[in-house]
Amino acid sequence: MTGGVQEQRRTLVRPVPGGWPLRGALIGLGLAFMISDVVTDTVDLSAPSGWFSLVIPYLPLLVLPVGIIVGAVTTLVVFVVTMSAPPDSLMLSAAVAPMLIAIGFAAYGLPRRAALAFGGAFFALLLASALLAPGRLPVFIGLTVTGSLAASAGLAADLFRTRSEVATARVARLREEQAQVRVEERARLALELHDVVAHDVTVIAMQARRAEMLRDPDKSAAILESIGDSASSALQDLRRLVALLSSDAAQEPSALPGGRSAPGAGASDIGEPGAGEPGAGEPGAGEPGGEATAAEHVTAQLRSIAADLERAGFPVELDIEGDLDLVPVSVWQVLSRTMRELGTNVLKYADPAAIVGVRLVVGEAHLELAVENSVADPGSGGQAPSTRAGIAAMRARCEVFGGRVSAGVVGAQNASARAPRSTGHGVRWRTSMTIPLPGRATVEASGAAGAPPEQAREESERA
């Protein structure tokens, strides 16, 4: 934006500053000079030449309000006319002040090249006049000095105005950037609040609903205990998020002690390793401190998802394939939050009487996390309301790593992102996340070049 201001200054003519008040002042000044000449009998108005001598010297002031270009051209014409007048004429001395004012405005308002051309033409005329009329040399020297001072004053005013415009443009650009930052912060905060609150509240709502339908006191007590744990976890995560925002932390922690991945990834949340299991919260439990630890965390979290769903009454088939050690640590949090989101969606939409398939596959060049379930009957009250923010959040995180998220009916020609509630009871619904593994490609390329695969993998992770 600042470059655009400077580029415009090189190509555009400024209007006369001050608006109509200054333009009126210029015309008034010219008229005042003319009235002064009439009152002091400097000119003889009995002859046409007298009127000519009265008007011509002050034409630059009278035409400047029309435009700076018109004023600059008029100044050159007036200078030539006054230099052609007889030596005893007072036209030149009367025209000095108006010409100097016009020179200052020309230096201020004309584009750079036009201002240089005007200045060169004016001083060339001065030099030619000095050569043709040596007797007026002191006048020409005085005009040269005062003209240079007038041009310097105009250039200084132009420089000040340009810097002011650049500063104004910079302030406007900074305001736009700040507004964009605020928008992005709101979006990030909305995503964090969704991760912190939505999952825990969904777990509480669905478990409370299922507890109403149970007649077994032991199972009901277990569900109520889980509801209390989820509520405590949600409160703890909200406090952590408030503390994070209050401290104006620039980066979100990728992992916290006890296997907590970030605000909203509490140990008692659905899918968190150790939720309701022995060893939860022990130092290092599920803490992604390296490749092996990240792989162990992914496995433990998937098993925890399956265990939570089974406790909620869903039959689960868990399938893990491939070498999880190849999953980069940077992908771990995306995988962790996506697991929780998919597990929560099962609680919200799935039919508890049908098998839920949870599958994680680490392939040759990508990993895929997929959950397949049957859709519950919307009329049974088994589906919870949805804002559809979960799929959008998963897509946003996945796209950072060049991956994609798809959701739709199993066997359909085109994947659909509609809410499962609209597909009908008993339909199999599949949600999957696919992320490329550039580290795996690096390992294979290095191995083809003769490096041992384990060594190549270590070098890739260090890079």
Side-chain angles (χ1 to χ4, degrees), residues 5-14 105-120 151 154-163 165-166:
V5 171
Q6 294 174 348
E7 181 64 27
Q8 290 179 358
R9 184 62 198 96
R10 286 193 291 266
T11 57
L12 298 180
V13 180
R14 290 190 191 277
F105 275 97
Y108 166 81
L110 291 178
R112 296 283 184 263
R113 293 181 180 178
L116 290 175
F118 169 76
L155 290 175
D158 173 56
L159 180 61
F160 176 80
R161 178 70 177 268
T162 301
R163 288 184 175 180
E165 291 175 350
V166 169

Side-chain angles (χ1 to χ4, degrees), residues 34 45 65 94 104 148 154 163-164 216 220 261 293 297 352 356 402 424 442 446 457:
M34 295 171 63
L45 299 181
S148 300
R163 288 184 175 180
S164 176
D216 188 335
S220 297
S261 61
T293 306
H297 180 91
V356 177
T442 304
S446 301
R457 187 169 66 208

